[in-house]
């Protein structure tokens, strides 16, 4: 074999060994990040990895003493490269103190301090038509959890106000313009207590509640708590998430095909294209980092996370037929989501015991709304119907996905008609379907 070929083979072999060494050190770093829960913004894992690599480099360098100083430095090149790569995980690229969204141009933001210690952002849409004013205030609980109220939802709330409703909404603690909580205080039980405290702070007697998605799960749990339920007049549970641990563990099927995988990918910057946040959010989602990880603080995580990071989650809230006309749900400046706090609350739901025995004693009149192309597990919804005897009607909404009021076609008007008919005790615009007896057939036919 020619000398040049031999040299090329040797060089290639050394290069592969160097790359393998770099990859090994990166894997060691990620493992140490998980073991240390990201302590010190990842610097604990970085220092340990650098130290390990240096020791190995010194050990390998002993066998290169005959090659002079350059040869002795070769074993340290993978360490230097790995140190540079992993250092990007330890350096914040956004502010580490919370930056709240600017004020909305169409509604004033109030801040209320609740008896629970939460300080929440509140929005009020008074009745736009005094001639049809309804005496019971309507409170909106948005989904997320720990996500700001989108501009699309604000549009829907204004539509309800035009029907004569005195509409209030608040962003749950940690979401939107509401103040953050210590990570350990984010629990679904805290969310229920905050709802009760908000109604008390409103001081207008009993209220109607519209709870959507995770907000619907909070509302369901409130109905199972007699002390909280006593503050509620009527409840609309729209596309609820799992209400407790046993429900969360149900591996059921979902609704008709959504736009997930069919819609164009989201545009705009993604925090997950930055190594620091790709590692932090990825390991948190895998359960290898706690929501209170020392790698990325809560405020920094909220500042970094963008709407594009939701990926196909947004598309999953729309029917397949709407894949190429999904509306912009929010603006870049208004969007706010805390992935860590959201995971923390979801985990407390999974860890909670069954609330079915308490829910079976509910007496608050309620209505369940189910979307045709729901991205929720069907049994999350039908379990509420089965266990809550006070659910007086169910409205199966054809032609819409999880986000039922989405501004497309007449979807907002249809949602308003269903909600207002129930709140006013009027006949339902849609059949009462499914009933409790129809749940097995519904689960079989609507998938």
């Amino acid at each position: 074999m020619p000398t040049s070929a031999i040299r090329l083979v040797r060089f290639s072999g050394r290069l592969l060994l160097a790359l393998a060494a770099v990859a090994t050190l990166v894997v060691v770093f990620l493992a140490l990040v998980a073991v240390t829960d990201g302590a010190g913004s990842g610097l604990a894992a970085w220092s340990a990895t650098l130290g390990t690599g240096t020791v190995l480099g010194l050990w390998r360098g002993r066998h290169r003493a005959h090659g002079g100083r350059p040869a002795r430095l070769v074993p340290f090149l993978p360490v230097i490269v790995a140190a540079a790569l992993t250092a990007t995980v330890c350096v914040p690229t956004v502010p580490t103190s919370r930056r709240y969204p600017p004020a909305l141009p169409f509604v004033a933001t109030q801040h209320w301090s609740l008896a629970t210690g939460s300080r929440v952002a509140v929005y009020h849409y008074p009745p736009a038509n005094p001639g049809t004013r309804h005496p019971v205030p309507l409170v909106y609980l948005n989904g997320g959890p720990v996500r700001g109220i989108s501009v699309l939802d604000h549009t829907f709330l204004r539509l309800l106000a035009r029907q004569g409703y005195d509409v209030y909404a608040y962003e749950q603690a940690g979401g939107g313009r509401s103040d953050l909580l210590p990570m350990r205080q984010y629990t679904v039980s805290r969310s229920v207590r905050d709802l009760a405290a908000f109604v008390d702070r409103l001081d207008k007697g009993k209220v109607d509640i519209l709870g959507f998605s995770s907000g619907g799960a909070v509302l369901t749990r409130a109905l199972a708590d007699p002390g909280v339920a006593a503050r509620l007049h009527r409840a609309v549970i729209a596309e609820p998430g799992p209400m407790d641990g046993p429900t969360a563990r149900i591996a059921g099927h979902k609704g008709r095909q959504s736009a997930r995988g069919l819609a164009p990918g989201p545009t705009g910057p993604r925090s997950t294209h930055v190594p620091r946040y790709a590692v932090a959010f990825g390991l948190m989602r895998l359960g290898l980092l706690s929501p209170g990880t020392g790698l990325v603080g809560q405020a920094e995580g909220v500042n970094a996370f963008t709407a594009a990071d939701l990926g196909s989650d947004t598309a999953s809230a729309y029917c397949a037929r709407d894949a190429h006309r999904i509306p912009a749900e929010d603006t870049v400046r208004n969007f706010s989501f805390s992935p860590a706090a959201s995971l923390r609350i979801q985990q407390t739901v999974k860890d909670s015991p069954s609330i079915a025995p308490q829910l079976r004693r509910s007496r608050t009149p309620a209505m369940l709304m189910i979307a045709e192309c729901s991205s929720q597990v069907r049994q999350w919804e039908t379990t509420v119907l089965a266990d809550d005897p006070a659910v007086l009607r169910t409205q199966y909404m054809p032609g819409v996905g999880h986000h039922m009021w989405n501004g497309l076609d007449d979807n907002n008007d249809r949602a308003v008609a269903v909600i207002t008919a129930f709140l006013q005790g009027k006949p339902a615009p849609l059949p009462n379907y499914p009933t409790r007896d129809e749940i097995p057939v519904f689960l079989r036919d609507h998938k």
Side-chain angles (χ1 to χ4, degrees):
M1 182 180 293
T3 303
S4 60
I6 295 174
R7 289 176 178 171
L8 179 60
V9 170
R10 288 177 177 172
F11 174 78
S12 299
R14 289 169 181 168
L15 179 61
L16 289 174
L17 287 174
L19 291 175
V22 171
T24 299
L25 288 172
V26 170
V27 169
V28 168
F29 169 75
L30 294 176
L32 289 172
V33 167
V35 169
T36 62
D37 200 22
S41 195
L43 289 174
W46 186 83
S47 300
T49 303
L50 183 60
T52 301
T54 300
V55 170
L56 291 175
L58 288 171
W59 180 79
R60 291 183 62 198
R62 291 187 310 167
H63 304 289
R64 294 176 176 266
H66 62 279
R69 186 172 182 181
R72 291 197 300 271
L73 293 178
V74 168
F76 294 97
L77 290 178
V79 180
I80 295 170
V81 173
L85 290 175
T86 54
T88 61
V89 177
C90 305
V91 181
T93 62
V94 300
T96 56
S97 57
R98 181 71 176 103
R99 287 194 171 180
Y100 293 90
L104 291 165
F106 47 79
V107 64
T109 304
Q110 306 174 50
H111 284 92
W112 290 6
S113 295
L114 305 181
T116 56
S118 299
R119 186 171 182 268
V120 297
V122 181
Y123 309 94
H124 179 211
Y125 293 102
N129 186 353
T132 58
R133 178 167 186 156
H134 301 284
V136 181
L138 174 60
V139 175
Y140 177 60
L141 281 178
N142 68 303
V146 200
R147 180 175 175 176
I149 299 175
S150 69
V151 170
L152 197 63
D153 279 6
H154 277 289
T155 299
F156 184 68
L157 298 179
R158 293 202 298 271
L159 184 57
L160 287 168
R162 287 199 290 272
Q163 304 300 310
Y165 287 91
D166 194 16
V167 180
Y168 289 85
Y170 69 94
E171 289 168 320
Q172 296 172 51
R177 296 164 184 81
S178 293
D179 286 4
L180 306 179
L181 294 175
M183 189 58 65
R184 66 182 182 279
Q185 293 186 23
Y186 288 107
T187 66
V188 68
S189 298
R190 172 63 172 263
S191 299
V192 174
R193 294 196 301 273
D194 279 352
L195 171 59
F198 179 84
V199 176
D200 289 345
R201 174 70 170 74
L202 185 60
D203 195 24
K204 292 194 174 185
K206 289 189 175 185
V207 301
D208 292 328
I209 303 282
L210 168 60
F212 168 64
S213 193
S214 63
V218 171
L219 176 53
T220 302
R221 295 181 69 94
L223 294 173
D225 185 326
V228 182
R231 299 166 166 87
L232 311 183
H233 178 252
R234 288 198 167 214
V236 178
I237 307 167
E239 283 284 289
M243 65 183 190
D244 54 24
T247 309
R249 289 189 285 273
I250 294 176
H253 50 70
K254 302 181 181 180
R256 301 268 166 81
Q257 185 181 15
S258 76
R260 181 188 288 269
L262 302 174
T267 59
R270 296 192 182 196
S271 69
T272 47
H273 288 170
V274 179
R276 177 173 176 82
Y277 307 113
V279 169
F281 298 149
L283 293 182
M284 272 194 282
R285 194 171 185 86
L286 292 172
L288 298 176
L289 286 180
S290 73
T293 176
L295 181 59
V296 172
Q298 181 188 174
E300 182 188 349
V302 178
N303 293 339
F305 203 87
T306 69
D309 286 320
L310 293 174
S312 58
D313 284 354
T314 298
S316 70
Y318 294 82
C319 290
R321 66 178 70 93
D322 297 324
H324 295 283
R325 60 170 193 156
I326 293 176
E329 294 192 337
D330 213 347
T331 64
V332 173
R333 286 165 60 82
N334 185 64
F335 178 82
S336 172
F337 180 69
S338 175
S342 182
L343 287 172
R344 162 74 180 164
I345 289 180
Q346 291 177 60
Q347 189 60 52
T348 65
V349 173
K350 294 175 183 177
D351 293 341
S352 67
S354 172
I355 64 168
Q358 294 82 12
L359 189 59
R360 292 184 187 121
R361 294 193 290 270
S362 175
R363 296 295 179 267
T364 304
M367 177 179 73
L368 178 65
M369 296 177 70
I370 302 176
E372 178 184 4
C373 311
S374 177
S375 57
Q376 305 288 76
V377 173
R378 287 297 195 197
Q379 285 88 337
W380 294 352
E381 303 161 337
T382 57
T383 297
V384 176
L385 176 60
D387 290 338
D388 186 351
V391 174
L392 305 181
R393 68 176 67 163
T394 304
Q395 300 284 267
Y396 176 74
M397 305 291 291
V400 294
H402 179 59
H403 205 158
M404 292 181 284
W405 40 86
N406 52 40
L408 298 176
D409 303 327
D410 63 344
N411 293 340
N412 281 14
D413 292 331
R414 290 193 296 132
V416 164
V418 163
I419 293 168
T420 57
F422 173 71
L423 295 181
Q424 297 173 34
K426 295 180 178 180
L430 296 172
N432 180 28
Y433 175 78
T435 63
R436 289 177 184 81
D437 293 339
E438 293 171 322
I439 289 176
V441 175
F442 174 77
L443 293 175
R444 183 194 69 200
D445 295 345
H446 292 273
K447 59 182 180 180

